[in-house]
Amino acid sequence: MTTKGRKKGKYFSLHSMTLAACIAMIALAFGMTGCSDKIDESNLFVFTGESASDFIKSQPELSYYYTLLTKARSGMGKGSTMDHMLSSRGNYTCFVPVNSAVQHFLDSVYNQKDYDINAVSDSMAQVIVFNSIIDNGNVEAYKSTDFQEGVLQLKTMADRYIAINFVANDTGRVITRINTFSTIINGDNEVENGYVHVVDNVVMPASTSLPGLLGLQDNTRVFAHLLEVTSWADSMTKYRDDAYELEDHPQNYKHVWYGERLNEPLHHNSGYTAFVEPDSLLEARWGFKLNVVGGVVTNWDEVMPIIDAKVKEYYPKATSSDPTSLDNALNQFVGYHLIDAALAYNNIVITKAQLGYSYNRPEQLGIDKFEYYETMGKDHRIIKFTLGRQTDGIRINRYVSEYDEDTYDELEVPIKGTLVLSSNGHRDNQALNGFYHVIDDILVYSNDVPYKVLNERMRWDTQTMQHELITNGLRQQPQNIYNMLPAGYCRKVRFTDQTLFISINNYSINWLNYEADDIVLEGYYDITWQLPPVPYEGTYELRLGYCNDSGRGMLQFYFGTDPNNLSAVGLPIDARIEPGNPVIGWVKDDPDDPDANRENDKNMRNHTFMKCPNCFGFNSTNVVEGGRSYGPGGAKLRHIVTTAVCKPGVTYYMRMKSLLNGPANFGPDFIEWVPKSVYNGEKPEDKW
């Protein structure tokens, strides 16, 4: 690897709103979403065959939308018009509303019947058009067989997600809804440069913040009110980082080592997710009844004392009378429902690379997959999500007391876990800055959560730890994308100017990576990570999953509570050594000799190493196969960084520093917090 010129990075050569909303609010929201003017127009030449633009123009019932295409431009007020963009080579997914839908939308916005389509401003045309088109780049456009419950992972040109829901109509036929209010009435119209899906309503996601969107729904009034009372609503208003938008973010750096193109993210958005009990559930379980007049609750003075009494039962140690205090019971109740990352339903648990998962049929789930997030409330308590072929959906804080040692099938499930619903019926659940998801039980951080649910080996992908990556759509992409993240982009990591911090998305085919993506450190790397909290006081092992190869270098680990003064822990590790070297002691598992395998595991632990977990692996056959026995060149190791007594509510940090005089790279894939009850319990720790 060379160290030639780098301006931004040293080792690279530079090569709803609802229909009743007013036009001012829509224009404001569009300005906030800030469609990029950096659209690649290099493909702007016409080719033979019917383009998306040709198809739309040829359909009389789509003529209003075509008029909008001729008004909207590919950049912010500049560039070619969108009818020309959709005539160019590329891959576009278009959700095109029929004339009656466009007319209805315009009449509602302008508050005028039969508003003239030709009088629509260019900026309004751009709002409508950009929200309805996904530029798939080099990846094939989306057809209906690609749709899953949740969101399409590539955003629209308005930097918003297209949410997909499948529902049964009055005749029992399954229909596809787009962003809740639009139904596909004529899908999969294949053209030379993509697919056109005709819809019955203009695709226009909500332009309010998440607390505001909850307040607009007719079945989440209680939770929306509690957000206001506790002031958590004030902490969930941020969206676009205007200072970041003003900076230059170079694209298409060419990596001089392996030739990949890297980009700095164009946006640095903030996002949030709320898991919400519907009003009907709280009314039934807590024994009150909302009195709603004209959409407004009139009896909060009767309801709130009942709610306060209930939450004090859940959080008896929270004694503050101030609902805005973290030591108040109501505040802790609400805070445990919130995550400061924008998580669409199908992004809550990432199942890629999980044993048994099918890349050809993503609805085919594998073994139980766990995802852990820090909540926004008291001590950033951990919330756990489980999804697998046995869970019947995404479950919150599911507790399985016994698994089959060989298959990881669930044997005993004392706590089934709260179900996360995939939609809120006919109501929108995507806000400008996040999502909410309705749940089927009351969510509480009871003693069962830290001492049963979380009394286990907890594994975090290093990208999951960085909430900004999922909020800004940098994960779960349908292609390999290399993002060079500038300092400060992820608030829970900090690194020196000589460190390159690279997020590799969807690195899933030939590499053994947890959750199918990777973080790579390059240069003279020196990085400090803020670690997730532990659930209860006790002795824990901190482990790191990574891959050895000749370019990885040598590094020293540090650990502690003061990020500016961490103590070195353990001896330096040389990540260039083959796993089979006696210093590590890796030996491939023998399926016929479990005793020998256990002996090898003990020997590796004596050298502070462990084999790769068996829960994830390679996508060699389009169904993921376990990775524990792959090697030696492809073996992924776990290094026991340190063993320490840790406490909840305390923030811990881990530092990695390269010890070489020249540049190197390192791939920290995942970390594990493992309580002593697991690594030194009555039963040996499992291989999963």
Side-chain angles (χ1 to χ4, degrees), residues 100-119:
S100 59
V102 175
Q103 188 68 66
H104 178 60
F105 180 81
L106 295 177
D107 291 352
S108 299
V109 166
Y110 290 99
N111 195 28
Q112 178 179 327
K113 184 174 176 56
D114 296 329
Y115 190 85
D116 185 0
I117 185 68
N118 296 300

Side-chain angles (χ1 to χ4, degrees), residues 208-336:
T208 59
S209 66
L210 183 55
L213 180 63
L214 281 164
L216 292 173
Q217 309 311 309
D218 61 4
N219 69 335
T220 59
R221 292 186 173 101
V222 173
F223 196 84
H225 183 69
L226 299 185
L227 285 174
E228 296 291 340
V229 170
T230 58
S231 79
W232 279 114
D234 298 335
S235 301
M236 301 169 65
T237 58
K238 290 194 299 183
Y239 172 53
R240 181 56 50 84
D241 183 344
D242 292 330
Y244 187 88
E245 296 290 312
L246 295 175
E247 299 173 358
D248 179 43
H249 301 291
Q251 307 295 293
N252 291 316
Y253 277 101
K254 184 177 181 182
H255 194 296
V256 299
W257 187 18
Y258 46 79
E260 296 290 348
R261 300 283 180 166
L262 284 92
N263 307 290
E264 282 197 4
L266 292 176
H267 304 297
H268 185 232
N269 298 341
S270 295
Y272 310 91
T273 303
F275 296 89
V276 179
E277 297 91 350
D279 295 340
S280 58
L281 173 64
L282 296 175
E283 287 176 322
R285 296 282 292 275
W286 286 355
F288 63 81
K289 183 65 178 177
L290 296 179
N291 185 36
V292 182
V293 178
V296 177
V297 176
T298 62
N299 63 331
W300 287 123
D301 57 337
E302 300 173 7
V303 170
M304 285 306 299
I306 298 173
I307 293 176
D308 283 331
K310 288 294 182 181
V311 297
K312 286 176 182 177
E313 295 177 11
Y314 300 141
Y315 297 97
K317 295 181 180 179
T319 57
S320 173
S321 59
D322 179 4
T324 67
S325 167
L326 293 177
D327 292 317
N328 173 269
L330 183 61
N331 190 287
Q332 291 190 18
F333 174 79
V334 174
Y336 191 61

Side-chain angles (χ1 to χ4, degrees), residues 63 72 78 86 133 242 300 317 417 432 437 451 489 539 555 634:
S63 61
K78 56 187 177 181
L86 294 186
I133 297 176
D242 292 330
W300 287 123
K317 295 181 180 179
L432 179 67
H437 304 288
Y451 296 110
Y489 191 88
T539 303
L555 66 156

Side-chain angles (χ1 to χ4, degrees), residues 602-672:
K602 290 179 182 179
N603 180 55
M604 288 184 64
R605 279 189 61 88
N606 289 337
H607 294 94
T608 71
F609 294 99
M610 298 176 67
K611 289 181 178 175
C612 178
N614 206 44
C615 67
F616 69 98
F618 289 100
N619 176 32
S620 56
T621 63
N622 283 317
V623 175
V624 177
E625 301 171 343
R628 176 179 163 93
S629 293
Y630 279 87
K636 177 148 285 185
L637 300 173
R638 284 178 283 178
H639 170 57
I640 303 170
V641 175
T642 191
T643 302
V645 175
C646 300
K647 298 179 180 180
V650 177
T651 303
Y652 297 94
Y653 299 87
M654 174 179 64
R655 178 186 176 196
M656 305 172 186
K657 181 182 180 182
S658 174
L659 300 181
L660 298 185
N661 292 325
N665 70 69
F666 188 67
D669 188 15
F670 61 89
I671 68 108
E672 294 177 344

Side-chain angles (χ1 to χ4, degrees), residues 54 58 177 227 235 315 325 333 339 370 426 430 444 459 462 473 523 564 614 656 666:
D54 293 333
S58 70
R177 282 187 178 162
L227 285 174
S235 301
Y315 297 97
S325 167
F333 174 79
I339 298 173
F370 310 135
H426 61 278
Q430 179 186 180
V444 177
R459 183 176 296 136
T462 50
N564 299 309
N614 206 44
M656 305 172 186
F666 188 67

